């Protein structure tokens, strides 16, 4: 009977396969762990059976349990047993289990070598395949070494299925056994041209991974990949190849240039086929540097459809190489900050860092502050906070024009709940207050407010991090106490009993700075005839300090007791009516200067001083000086800055440091290096206790509102507007020089001695923003023309603007002709004048409609347009030389001779006698704006004239003849979008109308039948544009078709405009 | 390289885990939990890419995921993989599962995790993409299943 039961249970046990196990677990939701442990016991029983089927079943179940987090390494040997089964079914189970739970330290792996070798050479391709798959997961250096040859043989297997697996696994083998790379490489290279696409893709994959680690070695394969790229149709392979080129181009710059064309073709090809696929190409393509410019417009398009995230990713790649080009997409990126997706927001934040300029800093930070308020989740908020500070403080606060604003931002940030970055804010406050002298008054006022409202910061236990800012606040108020409006009140705030709840190092700073404040207060009160005020202050100190004397923190205790005794002594003197303020102030005298972290190294070693020699017998314990915890505040005092000998080698230093730290940690009497202020204070001689009267200090309870940074943004805006309005060019020039001078100072590295002096003055009110002509709206862009007059002497330059203007008006009259013509391949030139006369020689910005520009695409190169400019000298002075320059923008670039920098102008190759004109051709890539610089060598005066070139959409059209049958075919193809427009009240004859369209918009007539005509043109990007123009009476209707809807819309708009003007 | 492939359901229960780098079982479970935590709190209509994850990851790594009905398919990849390429691969994977299981649902994955592993093994090998062509994958999987079937019947006979 008992036997029967046992037998029955064994039977059931055999029956329980993976599905039963899963079902069982699902049925035992309450006691899952218990159920599984009984299952494991059963599995252990099964593994003891001789039947391989039972074992395989058990191993299969173990694989499942492994996924649930159970350790199954104890069954490793059984797994090997199952792997070695001759049946594919079991073998597969065994290899799967092995791939899931074997790793390098599994010791049974070495038993598998022969088994795997046998499987690799099995006649059954799936045995081999399964072995390769398994091996790829648990290959060890030993296995790699032993099996490398076998796998290499498999790379030339007849079955592509095996070949591709063998190729792929070679990467793992290389990783574990690098010696195999050399002999295997030729074969791997061969596989790049394997007839089977799977094998080819595997080989590309492996080489890409290898090249990621060491691209230099794979440069020689570039031509091969180049061929593959142009021939392959497998997207996966293409992506990998482009990624590979991304790694190679930095090493071989010529490659980048070569790649532009095939990549552009690729993008066009894929774009037309499937938009979603082409994005990875772009992202990959962007990585191949040097042609980011033209890519940007695609990237921008990416925002419109599918994946913002990838667009941002690509932009951050571009930002590294072409920061300017991304800057104009600021709005788009700021929009992304509103995205609800955190991944996208974080990416956008990254981008912002590179985009700030003096002009937009406030705006960006304001926006970020809004997000800080809205943000939920501390991680993201903290990220925002650090970004704000990063953005503002980058390159020595280069972009901050108004430090008052920055301080207010910092103060606003302290209101954040639960941030971890109090310390960061504190160090920023300190840094700014110390280095920007002019800001101190403001900073001190703000800090005093902070101290006054300290309860807001410390009220919540969760806000621990933020109370770090009180450290900075206390220090700033103490150190620059002479700027305080109401030092008594601040002193009172610093000595509140609540302070005792702050962390020790902050209390220490409070105590120390209370003493400094006390000195200031004393000074201000001593002048008065009434001495009671001064005595009241001393009494306040004496009343409050004992609280700190009892502090558990040694630093606080020591400082408090020192200062307490000092104050008591002072009080005694006060009662004798002794003037003591001067002496108390002297305790804290001395200017504190910021010191670069490495400045100490620059202090020369005095002659005759051998730092290596021992002064005393070498002591058993290290007694090297403790390091400054924060290098910025190192006091400039020669005896303190004992120069550490720099020659001591790093190891020795590290050892000593370590030993010292150990020692300090073990020494209970050692005051832990705390951020003490660097003032030296003398200990007051002990004085006997003097009875004093307690006085109630009636400090007015004024809680001024915390500052709002927003108001600065507004102020700044107004200021800039004002600046802009009354700005005249002479001033501008002067400032430019000033600015460049300042810029130089910025450049000096952090180690230079110049850095020791404060690098930033805040004379913000007079500083002006650089005029960046960024008012780009689609095609219109501002430009500037500088004109130089030799009659004008240089001294006029410095005269007041009014006078200058008068003089100029007297002396010269100039007209500047802007004339554009297009030249196409046949050399035929059609000229159209757009003349603008300038009576006033001051820089004038001309608006687009004033001019009629005619710019046309260059037939030889689709990415270029040719602009011709007529320079006409309408004044009576001789223009000796002129310079023409374009500020390269996102989409446009002046074609410059090789070797010249991106900001160099082109010298206009002729001189202009009075009253003459000449034509000059300029080739511009996707032109947007132009600056012209005529300049006279004789005199140092030069002038600038602003003008705008209007690049209309049709400027990019090239009139191309088209036969009517081809035209018909095009229309029938059906991939053109249709749109139409009606013009009323056109009175001109039909042929005039057609001529006008041809002329202005570069169309050519395909066919004309009576009052109906078809016209054709194509853009430099090969978009077809077809028009059907019909007229009846005064109404003209134009039906247009184009494969690019935006282009179509714009062309129609322009045509409409042309006729609305006449 | 692909570092890990995880499938779990809306409650974070693992349905398949494949790590191409070794972790011990506890860490693996933590990774699954953490990944679930990161992925599940995201809206349906946000992008499919995620940076972060303390355990698996680092700056070079990304989580690329797709959510199908009750299941999350998550790939943890490094920067050598194209984001959309991997998204595409997930799609291929799911479509292949759909073909092999005929209207795949979560239950298929629960009870036949071994089969899912076998299918995955034809697509990704040792962290590298082996095959992206669905027909090719299905052909190979079918051939192996046929072989298995013939072996089982021979045992019975």
């Amino acid at each position: 009977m008992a036997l029967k039961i046992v037998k029955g249970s064994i039977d059931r046990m055999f029956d329980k396969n993976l599905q039963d196990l899963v079902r069982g677990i699902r049925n035992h939701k309450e006691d899952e762990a218990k159920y599984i442990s009984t299952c494991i016991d059963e599995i252990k029983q099964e593994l003891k059976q001789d039947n391989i089927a039972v074992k395989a079943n058990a191993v299969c179940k173990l694989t499942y349990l492994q996924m649930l987090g159970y350790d199954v390494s104890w069954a490793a040997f059984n797994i090997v047993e199952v792997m070695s089964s001759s049946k594919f079914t079991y073998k597969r189970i065994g290899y799967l289990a092995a791939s899931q739970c074997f790793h390098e330290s599994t010791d049974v792996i070495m038993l598998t070598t022969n088994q795997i070798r046998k499987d690799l050479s099995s006649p059954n391709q799936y045995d081999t395949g399964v072995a390769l798959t398994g091996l790829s997961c648990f290959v060890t250096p030993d296995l790699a070494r032993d099996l490398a040859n076998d796998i290499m043989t498999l790379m030339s297997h007849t079955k592509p299925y095996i070949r591709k697996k063998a190729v792929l696994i070679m990467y793992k083998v290389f990783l574990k056994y690098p010696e195999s790379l050399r002999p295997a490489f030729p074969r791997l290279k061969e596989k790049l041209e394997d007839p089977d696409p799977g094998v080819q893709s595997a080989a590309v994959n492996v080489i890409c991974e290898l090249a990621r680690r060491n691209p230099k070695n794979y440069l020689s394969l570039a031509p091969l990949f180049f061929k593959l790229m142009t021939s392959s149709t497998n997207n996966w392979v293409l992506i990998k190849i482009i990624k590979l080129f991304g790694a190679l181009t930095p090493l071989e710059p010529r490659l980048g240039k070569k790649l532009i064309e095939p990549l552009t073709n690729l993008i066009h090809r894929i774009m037309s086929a499937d938009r979603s696929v082409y994005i990875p190409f772009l992202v990959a393509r962007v990585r191949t540097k040097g042609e980011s410019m033209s890519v940007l417009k695609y990237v921008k398009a990416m925002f419109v459809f599918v994946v913002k995230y990838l667009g941002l990713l690509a932009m951050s790649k571009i930002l590294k190489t072409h920061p300017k080009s991304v800057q104009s997409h600021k709005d788009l990126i700021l929009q992304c900050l509103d995205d609800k997706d955190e991944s996208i927001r974080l990416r956008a934040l990254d981008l912002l860092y590179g985009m700030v300029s003096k002009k937009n800093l406030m705006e960006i930070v304001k926006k970020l502050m809004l997000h800080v308020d809205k943000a939920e989740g501390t991680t993201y908020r903290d990220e925002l906070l650090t970004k704000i500070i990063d953005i503002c403080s980058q390159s020595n606060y280069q972009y901050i024009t108004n430090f008052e604003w920055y301080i207010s931002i910092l103060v606003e940030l302290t209101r954040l709940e639960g941030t971890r970055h109090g310390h960061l804010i504190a160090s920023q406050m300190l840094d700014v207050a110390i280095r920007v002298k002019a800001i101190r008054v403001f900073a001190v006022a703000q800090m005093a407010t902070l101290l006054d409202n300290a309860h807001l910061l410390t009220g919540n236990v969760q806000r621990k991090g933020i109370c770090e800012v009180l450290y900075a606040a206390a220090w700033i108020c103490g150190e620059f106490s002479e700027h305080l409006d109401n030092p008594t009140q601040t002193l009172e705030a610093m000595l509140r009993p609540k302070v005792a709840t702050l962390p020790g190092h902050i209390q220490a700073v409070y105590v120390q700075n209370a003493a400094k404040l006390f000195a200031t207060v004393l000074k201000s009160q001593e002048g008065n005839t009434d001495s009671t005020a001064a005595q009241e202050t001393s009494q306040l100190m004496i009343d409050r300090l004992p609280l700190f004397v009892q502090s558990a923190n040694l630093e606080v205790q020591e400082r408090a007791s020192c200062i307490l005794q000092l104050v008591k002594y002072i009080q005694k003197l006060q009662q004798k009516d002794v003037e003591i303020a001067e002496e108390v102030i002297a305790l804290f005298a001395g200017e504190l200067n910021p010191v670069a972290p490495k400045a100490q190294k620059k202090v020369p070693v005095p002659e005759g001083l051998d730092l290596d020699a021992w002064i005393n017998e070498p002591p058993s314990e290290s007694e090297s000086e403790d390091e400054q915890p924060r290098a910025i505040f190192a006091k400039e005092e020669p005896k303190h800055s004992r120069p550490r000998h720099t020659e001591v080698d790093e190891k020795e230093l590290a050892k000593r440091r370590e030993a010292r730290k150990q020692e300090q940690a073990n020494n209970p009497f050692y005051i832990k290096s705390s951020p003490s202020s660097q003032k030296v204070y003398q200990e007051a001689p002990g004085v006997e206790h003097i009875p004093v009267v307690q006085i109630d200090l009636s400090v007015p309870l004024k809680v001024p509102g915390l500052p709002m940074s927003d108001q600065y943004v507004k102020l700044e805006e107004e200021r800039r507007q004002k600046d802009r309005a009354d700005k005249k060019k002479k001033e501008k020039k002067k400032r430019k020089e000033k600015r460049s001078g300042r810029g130089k100072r910025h450049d000096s590295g952090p180690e230079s001695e110049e850095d020791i002096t404060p690098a930033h003055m805040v004379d913000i009110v007079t500083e002006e923003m650089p005029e960046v002509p960024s008012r780009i709206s689609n095609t219109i862009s501002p430009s500037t023309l500088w004109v130089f007059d030799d009659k004008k002497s240089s001294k006029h330059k410095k005269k007041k603007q009014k006078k200058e203007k008068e003089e100029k008006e007297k002396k010269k009259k100039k007209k500047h002709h802007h004339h554009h013509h297009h030249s196409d391949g046949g050399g035929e030139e059609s000229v159209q004048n757009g003349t603008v006369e300038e009576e006033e020689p001051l820089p004038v910005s001309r608006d687009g409609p004033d001019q009629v520009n005619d710019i046309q695409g260059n037939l030889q190169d689709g990415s270029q347009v040719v602009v011709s400019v007529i320079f006409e000298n309408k004044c009576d002075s001789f223009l000796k030389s002129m310079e023409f320059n374009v500020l390269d923008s996102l989409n446009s670039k002046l074609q410059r001779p090789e070797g010249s920098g991106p900001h160099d102008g082109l010298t206009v190759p002729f001189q202009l006698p009075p009253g003459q004109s000449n034509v000059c051709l300029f080739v511009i890539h996707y032109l947007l704006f132009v600056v012209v610089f005529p300049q006279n060598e004789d005199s140092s005066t030069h002038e600038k004239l602003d003008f705008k070139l209007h690049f209309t959409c049709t400027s990019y059209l090239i009139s191309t003849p088209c036969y009517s049958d081809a035209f018909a075919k095009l229309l029938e193809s059906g991939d053109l979008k249709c749109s139409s427009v009606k013009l009323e009240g056109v009175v001109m004859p039909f042929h005039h109308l057609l001529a006008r369209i041809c002329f202005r918009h570069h169309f050519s007539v395909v066919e004309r039948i009576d009052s109906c005509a078809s016209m054709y043109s194509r853009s430099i990007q090969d978009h077809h544009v077809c028009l059907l123009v019909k007229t009846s009476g005064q109404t003209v209707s134009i039906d247009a078709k184009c494969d690019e809807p935006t282009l179509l819309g714009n062309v129609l708009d322009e045509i409409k405009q042309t006729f609305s003007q006449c | 390289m692909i570092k890990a492939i995880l499938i779990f359901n809306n409650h974070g229960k693992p349905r398949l885990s494949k790590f191409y780098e070794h972790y011990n079982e506890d860490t693996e479970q933590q990774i699954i939990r953490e990944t679930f935590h990161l992925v599940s709190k995201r809206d349906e209509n946000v992008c499919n890419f995620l940076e972060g994850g303390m355990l698996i990851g680092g700056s070079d790594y990304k989580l690329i995921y797709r959510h199908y009905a009750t299941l999350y398919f998550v790939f943890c990849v490094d920067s050598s993989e194209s984001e959309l390429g991997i998204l595409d691969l997930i799609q291929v994977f799911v479509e292949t599962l759909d073909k092999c299981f005929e209207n795949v649902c979560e239950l298929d994955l629960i009870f036949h995790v071994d089969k899912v592993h076998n299918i995955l093994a034809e697509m990704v090998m040792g962290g590298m993409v082996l095959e992206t062509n669905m027909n090719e994958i299905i052909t190979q999987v079918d051939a192996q299943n046929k072989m298995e079937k013939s072996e089982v019947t021979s045992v019975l006979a």
Side-chain angles (χ1 to χ4, degrees), chain A residues 99-155:
Chain A
S99 72
Q100 289 294 83
C101 64
F102 281 12
H103 50 96
E104 285 202 5
S105 51
T106 309
D107 41 12
V108 291
I109 280 192
M110 52 190 166
L111 301 177
T112 60
T113 316
N114 279 322
Q115 179 56 42
I116 296 173
R117 183 172 288 147
K118 208 175 108 198
D119 288 334
L120 290 183
S121 52
S122 157
N124 183 339
Q125 64 163 332
Y126 292 113
D127 281 352
T128 316
V130 134
L132 284 171
T133 309
L135 186 61
S136 72
C137 290
F138 58 81
V139 62
T140 63
D142 286 342
L143 279 178
R145 192 191 54 229
D146 295 339
L147 298 172
N149 273 327
D150 302 77
I151 300 171
M152 235 145 80
T153 329
L154 289 179
M155 282 167 78

Side-chain angles (χ1 to χ4, degrees), chain A residues 448-734:
Chain A
T449 321
L450 261 187
L451 284 177
D452 236 11
N453 300 315
H455 57 277
L456 294 176
L457 301 175
T458 52
N460 197 327
V461 199
Q462 281 185 331
R463 314 195 55 185
K464 259 202 161 132
I466 204 69
C467 63
E468 284 289 333
V469 297
L470 291 176
Y471 171 94
W475 192 87
I476 292 171
C477 283
E479 184 62 32
F480 308 117
S481 50
E482 67 270 20
H483 301 304
L484 270 177
D485 278 342
N486 191 347
T488 329
Q489 187 194 348
T490 311
L491 182 63
E492 204 274 335
M494 273 163 95
L495 292 172
R496 276 179 204 152
K498 207 138 190 223
V499 173
T501 56
L502 292 172
H505 67 280
I506 298 179
Q507 282 187 55
V509 170
Y510 263 70
V511 171
Q512 184 72 18
N513 287 288
K516 291 183 200 168
L517 263 179
F518 174 63
T520 321
V521 174
L522 221 52
K523 176 111 196 291
S524 64
Q525 289 172 342
E526 218 154 63
N528 301 345
T529 43
D530 183 17
S531 67
T532 48
Q535 290 195 15
E536 274 169 21
T537 319
S538 310
Q539 189 55 43
L540 176 76
M541 291 288 280
I542 290 168
D543 287 345
R544 301 287 174 87
L545 278 173
L547 179 72
F548 297 101
V549 176
Q550 293 156 10
S551 169
N553 188 297
L554 283 176
E555 180 84 17
V556 181
Q557 211 182 80
E558 194 195 0
R559 288 175 187 227
S561 49
C562 258
I563 291 163
L564 183 61
Q565 293 310 313
L566 181 71
V567 177
K568 280 180 182 167
Y569 183 64
I570 291 168
Q571 199 185 35
K572 209 174 114 192
L573 290 174
Q574 277 178 334
Q575 281 164 352
K576 291 180 190 164
D577 275 341
V578 179
E579 297 262 312
I580 194 164
E582 283 303 328
E583 283 151 62
V584 180
I585 288 272
L587 284 176
F588 305 106
E591 172 74 356
L592 207 85
N593 286 325
V595 175
K598 291 175 185 167
Q600 207 175 42
K601 280 185 183 163
K602 301 223 165 193
V603 179
V605 180
E607 220 172 299
L609 177 63
D610 182 9
L611 287 167
D612 284 334
W614 288 103
I615 302 169
N616 301 312
E617 279 305 294
S620 54
E621 287 168 323
S622 160
E623 34 173 45
S624 49
E625 217 178 329
D626 74 313
E627 247 186 327
Q628 271 334 124
R630 289 192 193 125
I632 349 165
F633 312 128
K635 187 164 166 62
E636 267 206 325
E637 206 172 42
K639 58 181 172 187
H640 259 241
S641 55
R642 184 164 77 196
R644 179 176 286 131
H645 191 55
T646 46
E647 237 99 301
V648 186
D649 67 328
E650 285 298 316
K651 242 189 217 161
E652 176 64 20
L653 265 178
K655 221 165 75 190
R656 278 196 217 162
R657 213 168 280 147
E658 199 47 46
R660 172 169 28 87
K661 269 187 201 144
Q662 278 290 319
E663 186 199 298
Q664 288 176 5
N666 295 335
N667 187 350
F669 301 111
Y670 191 86
I671 296 165
K672 299 280 183 303
S673 63
S674 85
S676 61
S677 95
Q678 298 303 307
K679 293 287 173 194
V680 196
Y681 55 86
Q682 293 140 6
E683 202 160 326
V687 285
E688 61 266 41
H689 203 85
I690 307 157
V692 277
V693 194
Q694 179 143 8
I695 299 159
D696 180 39
L697 264 185
S698 55
V699 180
L701 262 172
K702 191 182 89 190
V703 185
L706 289 170
M708 290 297 298
S709 61
D710 287 4
Q711 70 203 44
Y712 290 103
V713 180
K714 224 177 268 168
L715 274 176
E716 179 75 5
E717 205 55 41
E718 282 165 17
R719 187 176 61 75
R720 282 182 194 164
Q721 247 156 33
K722 215 176 91 199
D723 277 3
R724 217 171 284 146
D726 56 26
K727 181 167 49 196
K728 294 283 153 70
K729 83 187 165 189
K730 295 300 168 190
E731 250 178 50
K732 197 151 109 194
K733 214 186 147 200
K734 230 164 39 187

Side-chain angles (χ1 to χ4, degrees), chain A residues 466 903 1022:
Chain A
I466 204 69
H903 305 294
D1022 279 344

Side-chain angles (χ1 to χ4, degrees), chain A residues 5-55:
Chain A
I5 294 167
V6 172
K7 201 166 175 291
S9 76
I10 289 174
D11 278 338
R12 243 183 292 128
M13 208 154 67
F14 285 163
D15 284 338
K16 191 188 265 177
N17 59 12
L18 176 61
Q19 280 75 41
D20 299 319
L21 174 76
V22 175
R23 204 166 290 129
I25 293 175
R26 283 162 71 84
N27 289 338
H28 291 79
K29 283 217 167 84
E30 300 82 34
D31 52 347
E32 195 182 289
K34 200 173 139 208
Y35 178 77
I36 289 178
S37 76
T38 58
C39 285
I40 290 179
D41 287 341
E42 283 170 13
I43 290 170
K44 281 183 178 161
Q45 288 299 316
E46 287 170 18
L47 289 174
K48 283 183 189 148
Q49 306 275 323
D50 283 334
N51 189 339
I52 191 74
V54 179
K55 268 189 193 170

Side-chain angles (χ1 to χ4, degrees), chain A residues 650-851:
Chain A
E650 285 298 316
K651 242 189 217 161
E652 176 64 20
L653 265 178
K655 221 165 75 190
R656 278 196 217 162
R657 213 168 280 147
E658 199 47 46
R660 172 169 28 87
K661 269 187 201 144
Q662 278 290 319
E663 186 199 298
Q664 288 176 5
N666 295 335
N667 187 350
F669 301 111
Y670 191 86
I671 296 165
K672 299 280 183 303
S673 63
S674 85
S676 61
S677 95
Q678 298 303 307
K679 293 287 173 194
V680 196
Y681 55 86
Q682 293 140 6
E683 202 160 326
V687 285
E688 61 266 41
H689 203 85
I690 307 157
V692 277
V693 194
Q694 179 143 8
I695 299 159
D696 180 39
L697 264 185
S698 55
V699 180
L701 262 172
K702 191 182 89 190
V703 185
L706 289 170
M708 290 297 298
S709 61
D710 287 4
Q711 70 203 44
Y712 290 103
V713 180
K714 224 177 268 168
L715 274 176
E716 179 75 5
E717 205 55 41
E718 282 165 17
R719 187 176 61 75
R720 282 182 194 164
Q721 247 156 33
K722 215 176 91 199
D723 277 3
R724 217 171 284 146
D726 56 26
K727 181 167 49 196
K728 294 283 153 70
K729 83 187 165 189
K730 295 300 168 190
E731 250 178 50
K732 197 151 109 194
K733 214 186 147 200
K734 230 164 39 187
R735 282 182 199 157
K736 238 181 212 160
E737 280 158 15
K738 210 166 79 187
R739 201 181 311 125
S740 69
R742 177 170 302 159
K744 256 176 216 152
R745 231 184 302 163
H746 282 301
D747 290 342
S748 63
E751 283 132 284
S752 82
E753 278 177 338
E754 281 160 326
D755 219 30
I756 297 170
T757 61
H760 298 268
M761 307 292 168
V762 210
D763 55 344
I764 314 139
V765 194
T766 53
E767 192 173 2
E768 55 129 24
M769 299 305 305
E771 210 26 21
V772 185
S774 60
R775 288 163 284 159
I776 311 161
S777 64
N778 270 331
T779 54
I780 306 167
S781 52
S783 320
T784 319
L785 180 69
W786 288 79
V787 180
F788 296 81
D789 181 9
D790 58 355
K791 280 185 182 165
K792 208 158 123 356
S793 75
S794 57
K795 70 181 174 199
H796 291 137
K797 211 167 61 172
K798 296 208 167 100
K799 287 194 177 166
K800 291 257 162 77
Q801 295 137 354
K802 221 178 195 173
K803 201 170 171 190
E804 182 192 324
K805 199 170 167 182
E806 285 165 9
E807 195 156 0
K808 271 192 209 153
E809 276 170 4
K810 220 163 50 192
K811 286 209 168 180
K812 49 174 194 172
K813 284 208 163 172
K814 283 194 184 183
K815 285 173 189 174
H816 302 283
H817 245 78
H818 296 269
H819 162 99
H820 307 273
H821 79 149
H822 56 94
S823 72
D824 45 26
E828 181 191 324
E829 284 183 355
S830 74
V831 183
Q832 173 147 20
N833 282 325
T835 310
V836 178
E837 296 196 354
E838 284 301 328
E839 293 298 344
E840 192 190 57
L842 280 173
V844 173
S845 157
R846 302 177 199 184
D847 287 325
D850 292 351
Q851 274 174 282

Side-chain angles (χ1 to χ4, degrees), chain A residues 938-953:
Chain A
D938 288 349
S939 127
S940 58
T941 55
H942 48 271
E943 272 172 54
K944 186 181 115 181
L945 262 167
D946 290 310
F947 68 95
K948 276 184 184 177
L949 288 183
H950 195 117
F951 284 80
T952 58
C953 196

Side-chain angles (χ1 to χ4, degrees), chain A residues 289-356:
Chain A
K289 291 169 188 150
E291 33 103 40
S292 312
M293 288 290 200
S294 50
V295 168
L296 229 130
K297 68 172 181 188
Y298 297 107
V299 175
K300 195 173 173 183
M302 275 152 68
F303 282 88
V304 184
F305 51 85
V306 213
V307 199
K308 265 190 202 158
Y309 175 84
L310 292 174
L312 289 168
L313 201 68
M315 279 215 177
S316 66
K317 294 260 152 58
I318 297 176
L319 189 69
K320 282 181 199 142
T321 48
H322 295 84
K324 279 232 178 79
S325 46
V326 179
Q327 267 169 15
S328 51
H329 297 280
K330 191 189 77 204
D331 292 339
L332 210 57
I333 291 163
L334 280 175
Q335 263 172 32
C336 288
L337 282 178
D338 292 322
D339 206 283
K340 58 185 166 184
D341 188 345
E342 195 168 309
S343 295
I344 288 178
R345 289 197 307 250
L346 286 174
R347 276 269 147 241
L349 265 185
D350 273 356
L351 273 173
L352 278 181
Y353 182 82
M355 291 191 336
V356 286

